[in-house]
Amino acid sequence: MPRYTVHVRGEWLAVPCLNRMNTVGWLGREAVRRYMKNKPDNGGFASVEEVKFYIRRCKGLGLLDLDDTVEDALEDNEFVEVVIEGDIMSPDFIPSQPEGVHLYSKYREPEQYISLDGNSLTTEDLVNLGKGLYKIKLTPEAEAKVKQSREVIERIVKEQTVVYGITTGFGKFARTVIPNNKLRELQVNLVRSHSAGVGKPLSPERSRMLLALRINVLAKGYSGISLETLQQVIEAFNASCLPYIPEKGTVGASGDLAPLSHLALGLIGEGKMWSPKSGWADAKYVLEAHGLRPITLKPKEGLALINGTQMITSLGCEAVERAGAITRQADIIAALTLEVLKGTTRAFDTDIHAVRPHRGQAEVAFRFRSLLDSDHHPSEIAESHRFCDRVQDAYTMRCCPQGKAAGFYSGRLCRAFILCLCLNFSLKMVFAERAETISGGNFHGEYPAKALDYLAIGVHELAAISERRIERLCNPSLSELPAFLVTEGGLNSGFMIAHCTAAALVSENKALCHPSSVDSLSTSAATEDHVSMGGWAARKALRVIEHVEQVLAIELLAACQGIEFLRPLRTTTPLEKVYDLVRSVVRPWMKDRFMAPDIEAAHRLLVEQKARAVWEVARPYIEKYRREHIPESRPISPTAFSLGLLETNSGVGHDHHRHQDEL
């Protein structure tokens, strides 16, 4: 029998519908009738007939026509809200979608699976799981390990051994022994009391990442969780049933207790939950709508679900992937700006970068050569200033390889920290081979916190350098282009305030780059007397990266606008392809118009790593150049690799076609 979950004044009601030819208005009246029946004063109404209301979907908040039939307007088990005229929305009702509502309407349940064993997950895998591209299943080996560790817990409970978190309280209450008949209640109380986060909920992508990473850690078989409970967690992930997880509240000490507790709270059927099918609703209704039942926690399982650094690490994985993407694309944008400003490629000569053999520096210089080499990619713009009297460019152009090496190195270092020390690690409290549990400190978030603080500092430089290049593009005394890249200056302001936006973002990043991991506050009655503040390190690293993306989007627009004033001259083939991509979403700036949508469109070209992305357009040319110009190289020593050093030239490239030789 079809049924619908209806929200009325802060309450959720299950309304069966025997006849799907009934109208949406009938569904609303039936929900109001059931609501009134549960109230001693009928909810303040004399009769259902006097109640005036309208109905909207919980998913997307779209209004429904009361005269439409249920069959035409709604899917089975859909979630709707009855809004009574004159009412203020219940403070307990969470809007149906997190930020970016348009993104989630496109969600399609994946068909492919990733097998998790707790040891082989990559940052790319986790980000793809966050995007909803895969479901999860365990390997047989992981299932066997989970069973073995659970047997240790069952033995401890049966023998009534005193073990922290299993038969005792938590934190300051570690010496308080809990009787066996209270052990299940202990775990539920732990989850409820620790669900004390605040702030906006994590987006579905980030909630999926957090849940997937927690599953991966539990799959290692060191937590003591039962296979039955872990399979229920996996079923919730595969159905995209995502608990309400506030982004603030973790100090990264005994793991990310608050956010992981909110994660567990939804899984036990309490608090709020979101799915593409339901929008936000009470967790028990969302699980039920997907044919799932809430988890019943056994001894130790509450602690198993909430103790770890998966909030820091999952957000850190997103930061690492996005930082890597924008670092690559920054080189393309900078090359386009150098071309517009009629710069020289002499600073990217291989011999210069062989003197300081840093892997990142050499790679950036190589990318510039692959995009600008006049012998390989003839450029009419470059040829137009071949014999000019300038011999060198400003630092923000000729020192790009050196300046961007910091972002390259910080990204590699952060990725190494997360992969080696965080992504596939466990608290390792339950040792099945030794048939015992050991309380340690692997949950501390110091490793990822330090790495993410450094990542923010390194990536920020991309925006700092980009903002200075935007200034050079907009300033006619430096660019030889019209002021603020627009005709009829004065009547039109052009890129004047777009540059101000870039400057504002760079300035904000300077404050955000202050390390959070140098701070600590004692918590849990001095039991957790040194904490990592890794949650804030991860969130602010992502904010810094977003600002970097936005600044580079503005530079990309400005550089393409600069090309308009150099026409009919053409640049190199790969940069013309980049120009064409930008012009497919943003038209030239002939006179002033609403600029914010243009910046957002350019931002999407940098963020969406698909065929229509700046890097994907330029990459084939870079790879072709690499095949043709880089000889077989010597193996790189482990020390050189870890430090980002390069012991061999990154290819030939002595471009004599851009300016005369430098003095």
Side-chain angles (χ1 to χ4, degrees), residues 339 377-385 567-572:
E339 181 80 336
H377 300 299
S379 165
E380 294 172 349
I381 294 175
E383 191 65 24
S384 71
H385 61 92
R567 291 305 193 203
L569 300 179
R570 296 179 64 80
T571 180
T572 65

Side-chain angles (χ1 to χ4, degrees), residues 247-295:
E247 64 179 6
K248 300 176 185 178
T250 176
V251 294
S254 188
D256 296 315
L257 291 175
L260 287 172
S261 295
H262 281 275
L263 183 74
L265 189 71
L267 296 173
I268 67 174
E270 299 184 16
K272 303 294 181 182
M273 185 174 271
W274 181 92
S275 81
K277 180 178 183 179
S278 67
W280 286 114
D282 285 4
K284 61 181 179 181
Y285 290 114
V286 177
L287 291 170
E288 190 175 331
H290 290 272
L292 305 176
R293 68 185 193 281
I295 290 171

Side-chain angles (χ1 to χ4, degrees), residues 556-557 560 577-587 602 605 614:
L556 177 61
L557 291 177
C560 288
K577 294 292 185 182
V578 173
Y579 169 87
D580 291 341
L581 174 66
V582 174
R583 286 290 170 254
S584 71
V585 296
V586 178
R587 67 184 188 276
L605 293 180
V614 169

Side-chain angles (χ1 to χ4, degrees), residues 321-339:
E321 289 297 316
R322 287 176 64 176
I326 198 60
T327 299
R328 292 191 298 269
Q329 296 184 108
D331 297 337
I332 299 167
I333 296 168
L336 189 60
T337 295
L338 183 140
E339 181 80 336

Side-chain angles (χ1 to χ4, degrees), residues 507-565:
S507 182
E508 189 171 331
N509 273 2
K510 292 173 185 176
L512 291 171
C513 283
H514 178 78
S516 65
S517 59
V518 300
D519 183 31
S520 177
L521 285 172
S522 179
T523 59
S524 193
T527 301
E528 299 163 3
D529 55 349
H530 180 269
V531 302
S532 72
M533 299 299 178
W536 174 227
R539 288 193 296 112
K540 71 183 183 63
L542 281 168
R543 191 181 300 180
V544 167
I545 292 166
E546 182 178 21
H547 291 170
V548 171
E549 293 165 349
Q550 290 164 338
V551 171
L552 283 161
I554 293 171
E555 183 187 355
L556 177 61
L557 291 177
C560 288
Q561 181 65 14
I563 285 182
E564 305 298 339
F565 297 102

Side-chain angles (χ1 to χ4, degrees), residues 109-125:
E109 186 173 320
E111 297 180 357
Q112 292 182 292
Y113 284 81
I114 282 183
S115 296
L116 297 184
D117 59 6
N119 300 307
S120 52
L121 189 67
T122 67
T123 57
E124 184 179 7
D125 289 338

Side-chain angles (χ1 to χ4, degrees), residues 257-532:
L257 291 175
L260 287 172
S261 295
H262 281 275
L263 183 74
L265 189 71
L267 296 173
I268 67 174
E270 299 184 16
K272 303 294 181 182
M273 185 174 271
W274 181 92
S275 81
K277 180 178 183 179
S278 67
W280 286 114
D282 285 4
K284 61 181 179 181
Y285 290 114
V286 177
L287 291 170
E288 190 175 331
H290 290 272
L292 305 176
R293 68 185 193 281
I295 290 171
T296 300
L297 294 175
K298 305 178 183 68
K300 175 66 168 66
E301 291 192 327
L303 186 61
L305 288 171
I306 75 170
N307 208 192
T309 57
Q310 281 66 58
M311 169 83 157
I312 305 171
T313 306
S314 60
L315 296 184
C317 287
E318 180 186 345
V320 165
E321 289 297 316
R322 287 176 64 176
I326 198 60
T327 299
R328 292 191 298 269
Q329 296 184 108
D331 297 337
I332 299 167
I333 296 168
L336 189 60
T337 295
L338 183 140
E339 181 80 336
V340 171
L341 294 175
K342 299 181 179 179
T344 175
T345 59
R346 294 288 289 170
F348 313 120
D349 189 286
T350 52
D351 289 342
I352 293 175
H353 301 283
V355 174
R356 178 187 278 178
H358 186 283
R359 187 181 186 87
Q361 177 179 326
E363 177 62 22
V364 173
F366 166 79
R367 289 175 187 165
F368 271 80
R369 293 196 304 276
S370 70
L371 297 168
L372 296 169
D373 187 336
S374 293
D375 289 331
H376 201 74
H377 300 299
S379 165
E380 294 172 349
I381 294 175
E383 191 65 24
S384 71
H385 61 92
R386 181 176 178 183
F387 299 107
C388 69
D389 58 359
R390 287 194 307 168
V391 295
Q392 59 179 216
D393 299 312
Y395 285 1
T396 51
M397 292 189 287
R398 65 179 160 119
C399 295
C400 273
Q402 292 82 357
K404 291 185 176 183
F408 181 94
Y409 179 46
S410 64
R412 290 180 63 87
L413 182 65
C414 189
R415 181 185 293 273
F417 263 83
I418 288 176
L419 276 173
C420 298
L421 300 173
C422 306
L423 194 59
N424 293 290
F425 101 105
S426 171
L427 301 182
K428 209 158 189 176
M429 285 184 61
V430 182
F431 294 84
E433 65 275 12
R434 293 168 57 174
E436 64 177 312
T437 66
I438 301 176
S439 182
N442 280 348
F443 47 67
H444 205 283
E446 197 77 7
Y447 289 129
K450 295 292 185 191
L452 288 163
D453 277 339
Y454 185 40
L455 178 67
I457 294 170
V459 173
H460 160 70
E461 286 304 303
L462 301 178
I465 296 170
S466 175
E467 182 274 330
R468 288 292 81 205
R469 289 195 299 264
I470 296 171
E471 157 71 8
R472 303 192 75 82
L473 286 164
C474 291
N475 188 333
S477 64
L478 300 174
S479 68
E480 302 176 8
L481 297 170
F484 304 111
L485 301 170
V486 72
T487 56
E488 294 188 82
L491 176 62
N492 296 298
S493 296
F495 279 70
M496 181 187 296
I497 304 305
H499 173 236
C500 290
T501 298
L505 294 171
V506 169
S507 182
E508 189 171 331
N509 273 2
K510 292 173 185 176
L512 291 171
C513 283
H514 178 78
S516 65
S517 59
V518 300
D519 183 31
S520 177
L521 285 172
S522 179
T523 59
S524 193
T527 301
E528 299 163 3
D529 55 349
H530 180 269
V531 302
S532 72

